[in-house]
Amino acid sequence: MSPATANIADLPHALREEDRFAERLGGRSLAVFTDYDGVLTSIVERPEDAVISDSMREVLRDLARRCPVCVVSGRDRPVVQELMGIDDLVVAGSHGFDIWSPEDGTLEHEAGTAQEGLIEQVTEQLREAVGGVEGVAIEPKKISVAAHYRLVADVGDRARVREAVERLLAERPNELKMTPGKMVYELQPKIDWDKGRAVLYLIDALGLDREDVIPLYLGDDITDEHTVAALAGGGMGIFVGSHDDPELGGRSTAADFVLDSVAEVERFLDGLAR
């Protein structure tokens, strides 16, 4: 059964309604799981420029001294670690296919590693189809490939990118799935694994499946709804984004609370760290 959803504008605010958040917490300890882009750093035109601020980096370090902190991202895990400039947090990259912890090292999902050849082929096909489109950025990852069109100004060219993605999906209906995001199409292997399953795996692997611990997830995009749904009933979700953001288009979410911006995320996490 799918969790109930609500319009972003109707969610209680995690900072302004801190008593309500504390009531949900119920005296339990937190385990914090968070997306990277759009949560710890603002969405930028070029993915390689999404470096977190020095102040956010310090907040994460402070919070990690108080409770488990895990970063879950669609980006490749080494890329996230380099952009953060932090090497002692648990990081789940590639939508959870590649997990790394300071204690155990790399934990790769076997089903994902078997798909690397497929992703290499699809990446090359995407480059041939739309690599010459002005503004498009093809971002190859270990277990997926993303076609960013934020910088594509021409409407016809944007349609060309969408059509190329749809054509690949039609050619490989049993091998590929597409996850839309903020001005990006991401092609992934069509297997039963996502950020939500990765977080549930981490909760178990880190010994956090206890009554005195409540997992909290912060996310801003469609892929993050998998995690919010996975934690429904046993955890909490915070949606990061303003309801009047035109890119959200009046979206609904299964999250329990909202924060309007990366700056508010930093204030919120800083409060948890104290």
Side-chain angles (χ1 to χ4, degrees):
M1 182 177 179
S2 299
T5 61
N7 189 281
I8 297 165
D10 298 327
L11 292 177
H13 194 278
L15 278 171
R16 293 193 291 268
E17 301 185 51
E18 58 182 12
D19 289 345
R20 191 165 176 177
F21 180 83
E23 182 180 352
R24 282 293 306 273
L25 187 58
R28 291 170 288 181
S29 299
L30 275 172
V32 177
F33 299 85
T34 175
D35 185 24
Y36 184 75
D37 294 276
V39 178
L40 300 181
T41 181
S42 299
I43 299 293
V44 294
E45 291 185 342
R46 301 183 186 280
E48 62 270 22
D49 295 334
V51 179
I52 66 172
S53 66
D54 291 341
S55 57
M56 179 69 87
R57 187 178 298 112
E58 288 308 308
V59 165
L60 287 175
R61 284 175 169 151
D62 290 344
L63 182 60
R65 297 186 187 102
R66 295 288 303 270
C67 69
V69 177
C70 310
V71 178
V72 187
S73 175
R75 289 179 183 259
D76 281 350
R77 185 260 306 164
V79 172
V80 175
Q81 290 174 308
E82 182 178 355
L83 289 171
M84 286 196 304
I86 304 174
D87 58 8
D88 55 356
L89 294 183
V90 178
V91 177
S94 301
H95 297 277
F97 283 113
D98 182 4
I99 300 171
W100 183 90
S101 78
E103 291 78 20
D104 301 317
T106 301
L107 304 170
E108 293 185 333
H109 190 278
E110 293 180 1
T113 56
Q115 304 295 324
E116 292 179 15
L118 167 66
I119 295 304
E120 288 177 1
Q121 294 174 21
V122 173
T123 299
E124 186 57 34
Q125 288 178 282
L126 262 182
R127 283 176 171 155
E128 290 177 1
V130 298
V133 173
E134 185 175 357
V136 76
I138 305 301
E139 182 187 7
K141 306 180 185 182
K142 188 172 183 178
I143 313 294
S144 67
V145 57
H148 299 267
Y149 58 93
R150 181 175 296 276
L151 296 179
V152 178
D154 185 79
V155 174
D157 283 342
R158 288 191 175 192
R160 181 178 165 189
V161 176
R162 184 186 68 251
E163 289 163 3
V165 169
E166 291 174 346
R167 186 163 57 250
L168 282 168
L169 290 169
E171 291 172 357
R172 301 173 182 264
N174 298 319
E175 296 178 284
L176 290 177
K177 63 181 179 180
M178 189 273 288
T179 300
K182 293 180 177 178
M183 312 294 277
V184 61
Y185 302 112
E186 184 152 8
L187 291 166
Q188 302 167 273
K190 195 173 185 179
I191 56 180
D192 194 16
W193 186 258
D194 53 41
K195 284 185 178 181
R197 291 182 177 272
V199 168
L200 292 179
Y201 169 81
L202 281 168
I203 289 171
D204 181 65
L206 298 174
L208 300 172
D209 188 14
R210 311 194 311 262
E211 291 186 0
D212 63 331
V213 175
I214 183 168
L216 171 68
Y217 186 79
L218 295 89
D220 75 310
D221 214 339
I222 292 171
T223 56
D224 298 306
E225 291 299 318
H226 293 131
T227 309
V228 174
L231 295 179
M236 288 191 288
I238 296 179
F239 182 90
V240 180
S242 175
H243 66 87
D244 56 4
D245 184 342
E247 289 190 17
L248 296 179
R251 252 191 59 202
S252 60
T253 175
D256 304 280
F257 294 88
V258 67
L259 290 167
D260 294 336
S261 64
V262 172
E264 288 196 346
V265 170
E266 184 174 328
R267 285 173 52 204
F268 176 77
L269 296 180
D270 187 48
L272 295 181
R274 296 184 184 280

